[in-house]
Amino acid sequence: MTFNPTSFPEVLISKTSIHSDARGWFVERFRKDLLEEAVGHNINFCQENRAQSYYGVIRGLHYQMPPAAQSKLISVIEGKVLEVVVDIRKGSPNFGKHITVELSSKNQKQLFIPRGFAHGYACSSKTAIVIYHVDNYYNQSSEANIAFDDPQLNIDWQLPVNKIILSEKDKSHPRFKAAQFFDYNQSLYD
């Protein structure tokens, strides 16, 4: 299992070795010690979330503010999604920029998203099942969001506009300029 930085050095892609034979395959999906070595601090995942989505579903952009901010380790066990990560740390050199990573059951990649980043994903296969581990419990009062289609972010979700499916909640998120942000100089893991 290796962890490599994306163009956002704090956001890591994990690639695992797949061991195949006549019986099928085996993969080591999570090693706490290797993840902590890669991120440089303790990670204590306390909640696992799973979501099934159909083609065209966009979920996001979501995050939680302190004191309930969350780091996430995201993987796909069925299908394929385009994961989008937005740096929302005011003062960061990447503030307001985003990256995209394809996660699929075929490529077996995982994405580690630390606190201070918003994320969302678009389902680009018939169905997809996404699993994410988080290091803080869901807290409705700390929930924050950004509109998926904010023109300032200019995200290409790689879906035809007429095929996009959103929840009522995801249709009403604020624009980026009205969102809540993290402070780049604030320690998020104290």
Side-chain angles (χ1 to χ4, degrees):
M1 178 179 299
T2 59
F3 290 91
N4 297 301
T6 63
S7 58
F8 293 169
E10 306 86 355
V11 177
L12 306 174
I13 294 176
S14 168
K15 185 70 174 138
T16 57
S17 297
I18 300 172
H19 305 281
S20 300
D21 62 24
R23 300 168 297 163
W25 55 268
F26 171 84
V27 65
E28 191 173 71
R29 296 288 300 161
F30 175 69
R31 286 268 311 257
K32 181 177 170 58
D33 59 338
L34 295 178
L35 176 61
E36 289 178 344
E37 182 181 319
V39 300
H41 57 82
N42 290 343
I43 295 287
N44 294 305
F45 292 129
C46 59
Q47 183 175 320
E48 177 184 279
N49 302 313
R50 293 181 183 216
Q52 184 209 12
S53 299
Y54 299 110
Y55 177 80
V57 168
I58 294 177
R59 296 180 186 261
L61 297 159
H62 304 148
Y63 55 102
Q64 287 190 182
M65 294 298 294
Q70 297 176 324
S71 295
K72 300 173 176 80
L73 183 64
I74 301 174
S75 59
V76 173
I77 60 169
E78 178 185 302
K80 176 172 65 170
V81 302
L82 179 71
E83 180 70 37
V84 176
V85 181
V86 180
D87 189 336
I88 55 171
R89 301 168 302 154
K90 201 162 190 113
S92 162
N94 292 313
F95 177 70
K97 296 178 182 173
H98 71 276
I99 61 169
T100 60
V101 177
E102 182 182 284
L103 301 178
S104 71
S105 54
K106 186 174 182 177
N107 70 22
Q108 293 286 318
K109 290 179 183 177
Q110 296 182 89
L111 191 64
F112 176 77
I113 304 170
R115 299 172 184 187
F117 293 82
H119 93 105
Y121 57 87
C123 180
S124 51
S125 55
K126 185 176 179 180
T127 61
I129 298 176
V130 177
I131 296 179
Y132 49 106
H133 293 84
V134 295
D135 68 349
N136 219 337
Y137 295 107
Y138 171 73
N139 182 318
Q140 187 175 11
S141 65
S142 296
E143 187 179 330
N145 304 285
I146 300 169
F148 84 100
D149 59 351
D150 186 286
Q152 183 177 341
L153 298 177
N154 195 31
I155 298 168
D156 178 3
W157 292 91
Q158 300 179 15
L159 291 171
V161 174
N162 66 334
K163 298 291 185 184
I164 293 175
I165 303 167
L166 298 168
S167 70
E168 287 305 311
K169 186 176 179 180
D170 281 351
K171 290 177 184 177
S172 63
H173 296 328
R175 295 288 182 201
F176 184 76
K177 65 183 177 187
Q180 298 178 64
F181 301 119
F182 288 75
D183 179 357
Y184 181 59
N185 297 312
Q186 174 187 4
S187 173
L188 300 173
Y189 294 96
D190 289 338

